[in-house]
């Protein structure tokens, strides 16, 4: 209750309660410290002074209250007296270094950062077993001395590598996903300098972590590979790089990583995982679909269709449906897979893919049954949340927007950020296009066109989206329709038509929620066509006009590369 009053700025009420608490338990320093804070906020400096002096008389070894006494004078602009009390606390540490933390913390709490540094440093000098490097690094960070802060954290690792994970949690607050960021560059240089003089495993781990933050997966792979070759230990770090590289469409690094794993493991599970990701890459980059199909068949011939190859069977069903347009064959593959003696989680993965393929085939009700089974069987699991989103998406395709919204409301708080974002996006489409159209006719037509996109029926999708654009000019659905159609044009490499759509979105409403997306996609389009000046123009638009855009970091990096900066 006292803290609640304190937090609201009701210091008289807070002081009354803290005073009562302190009188009942004078060993609890928090009660007294808060009471002093309250009196100082009320400018009752003499009351605060008496509280501190009386406490010190009763507990003379609690020297950190000399810091509080000094700060009480500092608030009254009596700096010389304040300094004398600060020095008294530091002098006490010369012989009583066991009090280093309490005195250092008292300085830190009152933002007396230079004195806090002196207290922690002196304590560590007097007691080699003391370790206040985390506190010292934090102070440097607060002072804006980033170089000293990074160095202090790295000193901790140099002394004991077990601190690696700990320091990365703190450093993560100062590092961005922009490799050209000043802090990123400084940190990389400091780690590289240490790596040159001392081949600690942690330096490679830290560099790998940094490159992963910056989405430079090829460089992260180099660091993980160096670790593996030096120690010949687990390849989990390398696998992690490959999986995340694939999720970020870095197919070259994905291919390099899993080829390396195949060459360096004899574990069957690891081999199958590597082969699966190499198949994923082939699906993305190879135009000869029969060659990809042959790769699948070679694996099934070698390893069979068992629970060991279940993920590959699921991937094959997806390939048959979305690449070869053979959904019936895919359904047979998955229904055979359901007969295997797999666990609930494996069955859920099969049913989710089976549901997707049934939606592709227009069999919504059957798809909903499979999605609902996953929801029921694995309540609160991430797969159940994924199933719920698929229920919402299928209901949206059907035109049952009310039920879709019911599911999406739950998913906005999903533990998976990706699912929560997808739920939010779909919910916005439904809500934004329902207000002016109680019958939701335009939205129903858009959902039908969106289904065609899901089914990879690009020509039919474009025609349906054109019909919406002709019929609903000025309707809120117009910008979503233009954007959706532009993405389909990009898919079929009709870049000029995609460009026209993006420019139209900007022209219709420069403040629309999709405008920054349109500018970024234009930058990407011109970059692919090697129209450097045009690409720079649109990336720059994001940098200057949309500082809160999710595309900001990518746009800045791409702009600098096109300008020829050394990054």
């Amino acid at each position: 209750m006292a803290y609640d009053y304190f937090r609201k700025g009701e210091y008289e009420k807070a002081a009354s309660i803290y005073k009562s608490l302190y009188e009942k338990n004078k060993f609890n320093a928090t009660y007294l410290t808060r009471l002093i804070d309250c009196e100082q906020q009320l400018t009752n400096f003499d009351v605060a002074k008496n509280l501190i002096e009386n406490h010190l008389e009763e507990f003379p070894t609690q020297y950190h209250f000399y810091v509080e006494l000094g700060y009480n004078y500092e608030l009254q602009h009596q700096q010389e007296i304040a300094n004398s009390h600060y020095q008294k606390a530091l002098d006490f540490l010369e012989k009583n270094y066991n009090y280093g933390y309490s005195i250092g913390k008292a300085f830190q709490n009152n933002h007396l950062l230079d004195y806090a540094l002196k207290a922690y440093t002196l304590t560590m000098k007097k007691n080699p077993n003391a370790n206040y490097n985390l506190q010292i690094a934090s102070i440097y960070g607060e002072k804006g001395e980033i170089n000293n802060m990074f160095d202090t954290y790295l000193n901790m690792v140099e002394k004991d590598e077990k601190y690696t994970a700990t320091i990365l949690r703190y450093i993560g607050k100062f590092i961005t996903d922009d490799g050209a960021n000043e802090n990123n560059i400084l940190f990389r240089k400091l780690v590289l300098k240490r790596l040159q003089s001392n081949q600690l495993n942690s330096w490679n781990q830290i560099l790998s972590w940094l490159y992963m933050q910056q989405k430079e997966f090829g460089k992260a792979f180099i660091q993980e590979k160096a670790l593996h070759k030096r120690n010949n230990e687990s390849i989990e770090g390398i696998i992690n790089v490959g999986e995340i590289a694939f999720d970020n469409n870095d197919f070259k690094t994905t291919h390099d990583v899993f080829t390396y794993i195949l060459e360096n493991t004899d574990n069957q599970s690891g081999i199958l995982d590597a082969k699966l990701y190499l198949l994923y890459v082939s699906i993305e980059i190879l135009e000869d679909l029969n060659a990809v199909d042959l790769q699948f068949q070679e694996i099934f011939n070698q390893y069979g269709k068992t629970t060991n190859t279940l993920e590959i069977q699921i991937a094959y069903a997806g390939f048959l449906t979305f690449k070869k347009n053979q959904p019936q064959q895919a359904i047979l593959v998955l229904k055979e897979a359901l007969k295997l003696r797999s666990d609930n989680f494996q069955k859920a993965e099969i049913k989710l893919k089976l549901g997707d393929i049934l939606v592709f085939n227009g069999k919504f009700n059957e798809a909903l049954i499979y999605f609902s089974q996953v929801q029921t069987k694995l309540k609160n699991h991430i797969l159940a949340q994924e199933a719920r989103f698929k229920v919402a998406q299928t209901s949206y395709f059907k035109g049952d927007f009310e039920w879709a919204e019911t599911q999406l409301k739950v998913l906005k708080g999903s533990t998976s950020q990706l699912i929560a974002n997808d739920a939010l996006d779909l919910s916005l489409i439904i809500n934004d296009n329902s207000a002016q159209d109680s019958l939701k006719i335009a939205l129903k037509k858009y959902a039908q066109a969106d289904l065609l996109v899901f089914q990879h029926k690009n020509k039919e999708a474009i025609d349906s989206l054109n019909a919406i654009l002709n019929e609903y000019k000025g309707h809120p659905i117009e910008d979503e329709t233009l954007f959706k159609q532009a993405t389909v044009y990009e898919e079929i490499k009709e870049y000029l038509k995609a460009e026209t759509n993006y420019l139209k979105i900007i022209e219709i409403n420069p403040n629309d929620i999709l405008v920054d997306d349109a500018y970024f996609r234009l930058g990407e389009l011109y970059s692919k066509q090697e129209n450097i000046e045009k690409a720079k123009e649109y990336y720059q638009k994001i940098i200057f006009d949309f500082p809160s855009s999710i595309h900001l970091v990518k746009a800045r990096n791409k702009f600098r590369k096109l300008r020829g900066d050394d990054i």
Side-chain angles (χ1 to χ4, degrees):
M1 194 188 297
Y3 179 66
D4 193 49
Y5 283 132
F6 181 82
R7 200 165 45 85
K8 291 176 182 174
E10 298 181 38
Y11 299 114
E12 285 184 9
K13 292 178 181 177
S16 171
I17 300 171
Y18 278 127
K19 184 178 180 183
S20 172
L21 289 167
Y22 169 62
E23 285 171 354
K24 290 175 185 173
N25 188 352
K26 293 194 173 183
F27 282 99
N28 191 319
T30 302
Y31 296 154
L32 178 58
T33 305
R34 285 272 162 75
L35 178 56
I36 293 163
D37 281 346
C38 289
E39 299 297 357
Q40 287 169 343
Q41 291 290 344
L42 296 164
T43 66
N44 296 333
F45 298 115
D46 286 341
V47 175
K49 171 177 171 285
N50 290 334
L51 280 167
I52 298 166
E53 287 179 341
N54 289 338
H55 186 82
L56 279 167
E57 198 172 311
E58 196 169 345
F59 303 100
T61 60
Q62 292 192 9
Y63 254 69
H64 58 281
F65 278 103
Y66 279 104
V67 177
E68 304 295 345
L69 188 57
Y71 189 64
N72 197 58
Y73 280 109
E74 184 161 326
L75 290 172
Q76 299 171 76
H77 308 289
Q78 298 180 43
Q79 195 62 52
E80 198 172 323
I81 301 174
N83 290 343
S84 69
H85 287 297
Y86 298 152
Q87 193 57 49
K88 190 178 285 189
L90 290 174
D91 290 342
F92 178 73
L93 280 181
E94 289 283 352
K95 294 178 181 176
N96 302 276
Y97 51 74
N98 289 333
Y99 293 88
Y101 177 76
S102 58
I103 290 174
K105 188 68 175 165
F107 280 126
Q108 208 173 343
N109 288 344
N110 289 301
H111 306 288
L112 302 163
L113 301 180
D114 289 328
Y115 277 107
L117 276 175
K118 285 179 184 176
Y120 289 130
T121 306
L122 177 61
T123 304
M124 288 173 67
K125 184 180 175 183
K126 291 287 180 182
N127 178 12
N129 293 322
N131 186 351
Y132 295 120
N133 279 308
L134 279 176
Q135 287 82 359
I136 290 170
S138 173
I139 291 166
Y140 281 134
E142 211 173 326
K143 283 164 63 71
E145 296 179 21
I146 306 301
N147 196 322
N148 286 335
M149 180 193 73
F150 285 155
D151 257 334
T152 304
Y153 282 132
L154 295 175
N155 287 341
M156 290 175 66
V157 173
E158 194 149 22
K159 200 171 181 181
D160 190 338
E161 288 190 85
K162 75 180 181 189
Y163 287 113
T164 303
T166 302
I167 69 117
L168 290 179
R169 283 202 303 274
Y170 290 100
I171 287 170
K173 298 172 186 175
F174 295 83
I175 294 296
T176 72
D177 55 1
D178 181 2
N181 176 274
E182 188 179 342
N183 287 350
N184 291 46
I185 293 169
L186 171 62
F187 184 60
R188 185 177 69 246
K189 285 179 177 176
L190 290 171
V191 180
L192 284 169
K193 187 176 178 182
R194 289 176 187 251
L195 180 61
Q196 288 164 2
S197 59
N198 182 355
Q199 295 283 314
L200 279 183
N201 290 341
S202 287
W203 304 144
N204 297 99
Q205 289 168 2
I206 289 169
L207 283 171
S208 175
W209 171 86
L210 176 63
Y211 291 133
M212 291 290 278
Q213 309 309 303
Q214 296 171 181
K215 302 190 186 308
E216 296 176 302
F217 304 109
K219 293 180 180 178
F221 175 42
I222 290 168
Q223 298 303 322
E224 292 293 343
K225 195 161 52 170
L227 276 170
H228 181 250
K229 285 182 175 177
R230 191 183 305 150
N231 303 299
N232 203 24
E233 292 177 359
S234 167
I235 55 174
E236 285 303 313
I238 296 177
I239 292 171
N240 188 45
V241 171
E243 290 176 349
I244 296 174
F246 180 79
D247 290 340
N248 285 271
N249 299 322
D250 183 348
F251 302 128
K252 182 187 183 305
T253 300
T254 308
H255 181 272
D256 292 346
V257 164
F258 288 105
T259 300
Y260 177 85
I261 288 167
L262 280 180
E263 293 167 353
N264 289 275
T265 186
D266 53 8
N267 177 278
Q268 184 172 306
S269 175
I271 289 169
L272 287 171
D273 284 345
K275 285 181 179 289
L276 175 63
Y277 271 93
L278 289 171
L279 283 167
Y280 286 151
V281 172
S282 294
I283 291 168
E284 293 295 333
I285 67 174
L286 291 184
E287 292 184 8
D288 185 349
L289 299 182
N290 289 328
V292 180
D293 202 319
L294 192 60
Q295 289 179 30
F296 276 105
Q297 298 312 320
E298 286 171 357
I299 292 173
F300 294 139
N301 289 337
Q302 185 175 359
Y303 298 98
K305 289 186 177 179
T306 68
T307 51
N308 291 333
T309 60
L310 208 47
E311 283 190 78
I312 297 174
Q313 292 171 61
I314 293 169
Y316 184 52
F319 166 71
L320 286 172
T321 304
F322 296 102
K323 290 293 183 178
K324 296 194 79 175
N325 195 23
Q326 296 175 358
Q328 283 306 128
Q329 191 179 337
I331 290 169
L332 290 175
V333 168
L334 292 176
K335 287 190 173 177
E336 283 300 310
L338 274 176
K339 295 175 184 175
L340 296 171
R341 297 185 68 180
S342 52
D343 62 37
N344 286 336
F345 298 101
Q346 291 171 314
K347 278 188 165 50
E349 295 277 9
I350 298 168
K351 287 178 179 181
L352 288 175
K353 181 60 74 177
L354 187 51
D356 282 344
I357 294 167
L358 288 164
V359 170
F360 180 95
N361 238 15
K363 296 179 179 178
F364 302 127
N365 292 335
E366 194 178 344
L368 286 169
I369 289 168
Y370 282 111
F371 294 146
S372 299
Q373 284 174 357
V374 175
Q375 259 186 282
T376 307
K377 198 79 175 174
L378 300 177
K379 283 181 181 175
N380 302 321
H381 190 271
I382 189 71
L383 289 174
Q385 293 175 25
E386 190 179 338
R388 186 184 288 275
F389 177 74
K390 289 179 184 294
V391 168
Q393 187 184 48
T394 306
S395 301
Y396 156 77
F397 287 147
K398 281 179 68 180
D400 188 353
F401 303 121
E402 208 170 301
W403 184 239
E405 259 295 277
T406 302
Q407 305 302 310
L408 294 169
K409 279 177 186 172
V410 178
L411 287 170
K412 287 174 191 175
S414 169
T415 50
S416 162
Q417 192 62 51
L418 188 62
I419 292 173
N421 288 344
D422 287 344
L424 182 61
D425 288 344
L426 186 53
S427 181
L428 283 171
I429 288 171
I430 293 170
N431 288 323
D432 288 354
N433 297 290
S434 299
Q436 294 181 20
D437 182 3
S438 58
L439 297 175
K440 304 180 180 65
I441 296 168
L443 182 59
K444 283 176 184 173
K445 291 182 178 180
Y446 179 82
Q448 288 163 4
D450 206 355
L451 173 62
L452 291 169
V453 175
F454 177 83
Q455 293 169 326
H456 293 206
K457 295 177 180 176
N458 294 328
K459 185 183 182 308
E460 295 95 324
I462 288 169
D463 291 343
S464 292
L465 292 164
N466 267 333
I468 295 168
L469 290 171
N470 291 330
E471 192 174 347
Y472 293 97
K473 282 190 187 300
H475 190 283
I477 203 82
E478 188 177 11
D479 57 345
E480 271 104 350
T481 306
L482 284 165
F483 195 87
K484 179 68 71 174
Q485 192 181 55
T487 61
V488 180
Y489 281 138
E490 283 195 65
E491 180 83 17
I492 60 176
K493 298 183 170 53
E494 292 195 21
Y495 298 124
L496 283 174
K497 290 180 179 178
E499 175 192 356
T500 302
N501 277 29
Y502 291 134
L503 289 170
K504 202 161 188 179
I505 291 167
I506 296 164
E507 181 191 325
I508 290 170
N509 181 3
N511 299 314
D512 189 82
I513 195 169
L514 291 172
V515 167
D516 64 319
D517 299 281
Y519 275 122
F520 184 75
R521 298 297 276 258
L522 283 165
E524 296 285 87
L525 277 177
Y526 288 123
S527 186
K528 282 177 192 170
Q529 296 166 31
E530 296 186 0
N531 188 338
I532 305 302
E533 291 308 311
K534 273 284 188 186
K536 279 164 59 181
E537 177 189 333
Y538 286 108
Y539 288 138
Q540 199 169 25
K541 199 79 178 164
I542 299 279
I543 296 165
F544 290 113
D545 294 355
F546 299 91
S548 59
S549 170
I550 59 168
H551 304 298
L552 178 65
V553 171
K554 279 187 181 176
R556 188 189 294 130
N557 278 341
K558 286 171 182 284
F559 174 79
R560 287 171 173 168
K561 281 179 184 174
L562 292 174
R563 193 171 61 182
D565 294 6
D566 181 14
I567 59 170

